[in-house]
Amino acid sequence: MFLSRHDEPKFNVGPENGTAVTEFILEGFSGLDQRLQLVLSLVFLLIYLTTVMGNATIIFLVYADHRLQTPMYFFIGNLAFLEIWFTSSTSIKLVVILGSGRRTISLSSCFAQSSSYFTLGCTELILLVVMSFDCYVAICQPLHYAAIMKPQLCIHLVVATWVTGFTLLSYRLVILSQLTFCGSNEIHHFFCDNSPLFKVSCSDTSLLWKIDSVFLSFVFLGTLCLTLVFYMCILFCILHLPAASGRKKAFSTCSSHLTTLAIAYGSCIALYVCPSVGVSLENSRFVALLNTVLYPFLNPFIYSLRNKAVILALNEAVARTRTQLFP
């Protein structure tokens, strides 16, 4: 697809570097046939709308149905809220790129997208640790669950999750502000990921790259280790349950969360913790699509379609709506 007038590179004259890039061109899917890009834009738009509607439905049900106003569903509702913003940070621009061919993104928008993507992503990993702790208390300390997981503690944990996530990732704006762009403005990705940004910068990014890699590895592996500790304790408790029915119920309680953890950490580790030099850009973009598009899309189904309480609440909400509309 040829670049339109709106996609022409824009430069400002800089005092030191000659020209300073003020816009980037996202070339993530530029090699695809135009009709295929249009089809993909419709597919991703449908996935995005389904993701938003599905997560919004979970938030509404948790708020409206008193049976779902428990610590577990409180955390699931917060995860759904987080997923809406996380997928919106990349999916909207992706649909625009594929549907209209407008591949340009301003410098400030690119920095905002990169910062929001990593901030929300790390906040989600911390929230998954909190959900692992809730699952641990529910299975290993069932008699003390109500006393431990009080509403005040749940609110404090969620607030701490958001504050910690945004505080830890505030350094990204500092790192991005140290970059200068004066050469190529083509980013070979569908969003402003850290690696493509560093590659097109004309600054010396070796130190910034090391700091960013160490920090992201610390966040990913740190939250993963905490989650594994909780689940090792959970597994130990399950194996010591006397009845087979109790073990089956405990495994069923954790299965949805384990599915989410597998997708989230698998894609993040493949992209940021131990990326292989031999991995092609196409494979990297595919894993990024899994992380930014498919994973938020699957979450409402993982936590609702396999949960009898959520399905019951949804059916009753639909029945009440139908009665009000057609008395």
Side-chain angles (χ1 to χ4, degrees):
M1 181 181 295
F2 294 102
L3 297 178
S4 65
R5 179 183 296 273
H6 299 286
D7 293 321
E8 295 175 356
K10 296 182 181 180
F11 301 93
N12 283 340
V13 176
E16 298 178 359
N17 297 318
T19 56
V21 175
T22 60
E23 277 192 349
F24 295 108
I25 300 176
L26 299 173
E27 296 284 358
F29 295 99
S30 59
L32 297 179
D33 179 75
Q34 186 172 355
R35 287 177 295 181
L36 179 58
Q37 291 188 42
L38 183 58
V39 171
L40 287 176
S41 71
L42 296 176
V43 172
F44 289 141
L45 177 60
L46 179 61
I47 292 176
Y48 172 71
L49 293 178
T50 305
T51 301
V52 173
M53 292 176 61
N55 283 294
T57 300
I58 291 179
I59 296 172
F60 169 76
L61 292 176
V62 171
Y63 174 79
D65 196 299
H66 68 279
R67 290 167 300 184
L68 301 182
Q69 293 174 1
T70 63
M72 181 180 72
Y73 293 109
F74 175 71
F75 295 134
I76 290 176
N78 277 273
L79 179 64
F81 177 76
L82 186 59
E83 290 289 10
I84 292 175
W85 292 103
F86 178 71
T87 191
S88 296
S89 65
T90 57
S91 294
I92 295 176
K93 185 61 179 178
L94 175 60
V95 171
V96 172
I97 289 174
L98 294 173
S100 67
R102 293 179 58 91
R103 304 180 180 277
T104 58
I105 184 171
S106 66
L107 187 67
S108 58
S109 297
C110 188
F111 284 2
Q113 185 187 58
S114 178
S115 299
S116 60
Y117 168 77
F118 282 99
T119 298
L120 294 170
C122 286
T123 303
E124 181 168 340
L125 294 182
I126 299 172
L127 182 58
L128 290 177
V129 174
V130 173
M131 295 175 69
S132 300
F133 171 72
D134 174 70
C135 193
Y136 160 76
V137 177
I139 294 176
C140 299
Q141 303 288 335
L143 299 179
H144 301 91
Y145 182 79
I148 295 174
M149 302 303 296
K150 294 181 178 179
Q152 295 88 342
L153 177 62
C154 296
I155 294 174
H156 291 161
L157 287 174
V158 168
V159 171
T161 296
W162 283 92
V163 171
T164 303
F166 277 82
T167 301
L168 289 176
L169 268 297
S170 61
Y171 87 100
R172 286 203 62 80
L173 287 176
V174 177
I175 286 183
L176 293 176
S177 66
Q178 305 301 313
L179 300 177
T180 55
F181 302 91
C182 54
S184 172
N185 69 334
E186 293 184 355
I187 295 179
H188 297 283
H189 213 313
F190 62 86
F191 74 101
C192 295
D193 204 353
N194 59 345
S195 178
L197 271 178
F198 287 159
K199 287 181 179 179
V200 299
S201 174
C202 54
S203 307
D204 182 7
T205 60
S206 56
L207 179 60
L208 296 177
W209 184 278
K210 292 178 181 178
I211 293 174
D212 200 48
S213 299
V214 170
F215 189 85
L216 290 177
S217 298
F218 171 78
V219 173
F220 294 148
L221 297 180
T223 54
L224 178 60
C225 287
L226 288 174
T227 302
L228 290 178
V229 168
F230 285 128
Y231 269 95
M232 287 177 63
C233 296
I234 291 172
L235 180 61
F236 182 80
C237 292
I238 291 177
L239 293 178
H240 283 76
L241 291 176
S245 58
R247 289 192 292 270
K248 183 179 180 180
K249 182 178 180 181
F251 276 120
S252 177
T253 302
C254 298
S255 59
S256 297
H257 192 218
L258 286 173
T259 304
T260 301
L261 290 172
I263 299 175
Y265 281 103
S267 58
C268 287
I269 291 175
L271 284 172
Y272 304 110
V273 178
C274 51
S276 173
V277 177
V279 175
S280 66
L281 288 174
E282 288 75 16
N283 291 335
S284 177
R285 286 194 289 266
F286 175 78
V287 178
L289 281 175
L290 175 68
N291 188 40
T292 59
V293 178
L294 185 60
Y295 167 63
F297 170 75
L298 291 177
N299 263 353
F301 300 96
I302 292 173
Y303 284 112
S304 60
L305 292 183
R306 300 179 68 254
N307 192 299
K308 295 181 180 179
V310 175
I311 293 176
L312 180 60
L314 180 60
N315 289 335
E316 292 182 357
V318 172
R320 286 195 301 268
T321 303
R322 186 184 297 117
T323 301
Q324 294 174 358
L325 294 177
F326 307 102

